[in-house]
Amino acid sequence: MKSLMSILFLICIGISSLAHAELRSLRGSEVMNGDVPSENFRWEKDRKPLPRHFVQQPPIIPHSTKGYLITKEFNKCLDCHSWDRTADTGATKISITHFKTRGGTELTNVSPRRYFCQQCHVPQTDAKPLVGNTFQPAAGLVKK
């Protein structure tokens, strides 16, 4: 019993110290949670969908998603992008691929693996590159 109490005490101390520890990125900068103001970028205003630069690139979100709630019970993106709402909102329909399971079975609603939109889709910002980049769009996607 005494050893169990000692283990519980050590676990509580460890959890307490983690709660007060400052989170840092691998590059040493402080990690922040949620939508925070930044001097590194500003949210873009709504605009037309942006072009893609490589095959299978998820579309970039052409509007701010600041404050959008996506939980397992509610997805703000579906207010505009679900198939039954696009006629009213003018938003792009969710791709049919988002209704398939990993095994290829078609569902009547968005697949759980595609439900959290910002796993793949990101809002456009005016952020400056963190590192140099010489990427060129795929030749078949370049307008001539």
Side-chain angles (χ1 to χ4, degrees):
M1 183 68 172
K2 198 171 196 178
S3 64
L4 178 61
M5 294 299 283
S6 298
I7 292 171
L8 288 174
F9 176 74
L10 291 173
I11 290 172
C12 289
I13 288 175
I15 291 171
S16 174
S17 66
L18 284 176
H20 297 294
E22 188 176 285
L23 294 177
R24 309 226 31 97
S25 74
L26 292 175
R27 292 187 174 137
S29 60
E30 186 177 341
V31 176
M32 300 201 184
N33 294 325
D35 294 324
V36 295
S38 173
E39 66 279 354
N40 297 327
F41 72 92
R42 65 178 165 72
W43 294 97
E44 289 285 334
K45 295 183 183 334
D46 292 2
R47 60 169 154 181
K48 292 182 180 180
L50 302 164
R52 299 184 201 190
H53 296 293
F54 58 91
V55 178
Q56 299 297 324
Q57 174 187 355
I60 296 173
I61 303 169
H63 59 81
S64 172
T65 57
K66 187 175 183 178
Y68 274 38
L69 178 67
I70 300 177
T71 68
K72 64 181 185 172
E73 288 88 23
F74 179 77
N75 182 328
K76 175 70 174 161
C77 301
L78 298 178
D79 282 353
C80 297
H81 295 279
S82 64
W83 280 44
D84 61 343
R85 297 281 300 138
T86 57
D88 297 333
T89 64
T92 305
K93 281 184 187 177
I94 299 172
S95 168
I96 192 70
T97 60
H98 288 50
F99 293 85
K100 292 183 180 182
T101 65
R102 184 174 303 184
T105 305
E106 288 194 17
L107 304 172
T108 58
N109 210 338
V110 176
S111 171
R113 71 188 192 112
R114 298 290 188 106
Y115 181 79
F116 295 95
C117 308
Q118 290 189 12
Q119 290 180 139
C120 300
H121 304 279
V122 295
Q124 180 69 30
T125 70
D126 67 346
K128 305 298 178 257
L130 297 174
V131 295
N133 184 351
T134 58
F135 177 81
Q136 297 295 317
L141 298 176
V142 176
K143 290 185 181 181
K144 296 178 183 180

